[in-house]
Amino acid sequence: MATSQCRRLEGKVALVTAATAGIGLATAERLAEEGASVFICSRKQDNVDDAVKALRAKGLEVAGCACHVGSHEQRQRLVEQCVQKYGGLDVLVSNAAVNPGAGPISETTPDVVDKVLDINIKAAVLLVKEALPHLLRRPGSSIIFVSSVTAFNPPEPIGMYAVSKTALLGLTKGLAAELGPRGVRVNCVAPGIVPTKFSAALVDTPELAAQQAETTMLKRLGRPSEQAAAIAFLASPDAAYITGETLVVAGGMHSRL
């Protein structure tokens, strides 16, 4: 990723979940480049350590800890450690998600439904609940959810996952209405197809990647840095009058409910 010339987040503290690879890692890097102190997490401590080491080697202020966002105790510890390390919290980026099964929605097993809803929706809501007391203390604070362009038209074989991402669009609107009067903005980014480990099933052959690229107006797949740039914008003062919105970063893919 090219180093950002913007310093819109100087003095801010950002917490980014699932931030040791892909879009999450790119987001942590971009926010830190713009001046934020960034606290990251992932399920495995080794992955957190590697990401922190790599980002610090670039001169960025980053720390982190292991966290399974489905655990109340670990969510609580995550927010506490972030605030203890950096003295507060201005930006929450909720990026963690799972897709434990593939196939038609009507054939999804109960255990897969439970896991998708537990991590992709329930954990996002409860993480906001943990972070909110700290966000309310900081003028200009914001929450950003990472959804997906598939939220607008859930496709097989990832329909259940996509439906959980649809729920984040509603969560964004609902929380924005609740928290706007209290000074907290809430927005969402809906990435298109970005070649990462998480999306490997959609792009794991040149033929599949080409097919996905053809669904965009730009005729190419996205990059993690492009999602990170959108998230940084929404977290910054440049977006001070934007709340309750979903910014689609998908190269022109169809994106309306």
Side-chain angles (χ1 to χ4, degrees):
M1 183 191 306
T3 301
S4 171
Q5 299 303 308
C6 298
R7 299 291 291 181
R8 297 175 294 187
L9 301 175
E10 202 77 58
K12 302 294 186 181
V13 177
L15 172 58
V16 186
T17 63
T20 59
I23 292 170
L25 178 59
T27 297
E29 183 170 353
R30 178 60 184 258
L31 298 182
E33 286 177 347
E34 293 216 17
S37 298
V38 181
F39 202 86
I40 68 172
C41 75
S42 182
R43 286 182 297 171
K44 297 181 179 179
Q45 186 64 49
D46 286 348
N47 292 344
V48 174
D49 292 342
D50 289 345
V52 168
K53 182 179 179 181
L55 293 173
R56 283 184 171 270
K58 297 181 178 183
L60 303 175
E61 181 52 52
V62 181
C65 70
C67 176
H68 189 305
V69 296
S71 162
H72 166 69
E73 292 78 13
Q74 293 189 39
R75 285 191 305 267
Q76 190 175 51
R77 185 182 65 191
L78 171 67
V79 173
E80 287 175 352
Q81 289 194 15
C82 173
V83 172
Q84 287 171 4
K85 174 67 176 177
Y86 291 124
L89 182 60
D90 300 275
V91 179
L92 172 64
V93 181
S94 180
N95 177 57
V98 296
N99 183 26
I105 296 172
S106 59
E107 296 176 13
T108 305
T109 59
D111 61 312
V112 169
V113 172
D114 287 344
K115 188 165 186 178
V116 168
L117 298 182
D118 190 50
I119 301 300
N120 298 5
I121 303 171
K122 180 181 176 182
V125 173
L126 296 179
L127 182 61
V128 168
K129 188 174 180 180
E130 290 290 345
L132 189 57
H134 305 285
L135 293 168
L136 288 170
R137 297 188 185 106
R138 309 283 277 232
S141 61
S142 69
I143 298 165
I144 299 148
F145 295 108
V146 179
S147 179
S148 168
V149 70
T150 63
F152 296 95
N153 188 26
E156 198 177 337
I158 58 168
M160 192 64 229
Y161 161 83
V163 167
S164 74
K165 293 297 189 174
T166 309
L168 293 182
L169 310 186
L171 181 60
T172 297
K173 289 287 189 185
L175 280 174
E178 279 184 31
L179 300 181
R182 304 172 73 184
V184 180
R185 296 182 300 107
V186 185
N187 290 294
C188 183
V189 168
I193 308 300
V194 179
T196 64
K197 183 179 179 180
F198 193 83
S199 64
L202 299 176
V203 294
D204 62 357
T205 68
E207 293 77 17
L208 277 174
Q211 288 174 17
Q212 296 292 352
E214 278 300 310
T215 66
T216 75
M217 292 179 183
L218 296 179
K219 303 305 177 187
R220 68 170 178 85
L221 300 178
R223 305 182 185 102
S225 61
E226 292 166 331
Q227 309 303 322
I231 292 167
F233 162 68
L234 289 173
S236 79
D238 286 341
Y241 200 54
I242 299 175
T243 196
E245 298 297 336
T246 295
L247 178 55
V248 180
V249 188
M253 292 177 71
H254 179 71
S255 58
R256 289 292 176 267
L257 288 174

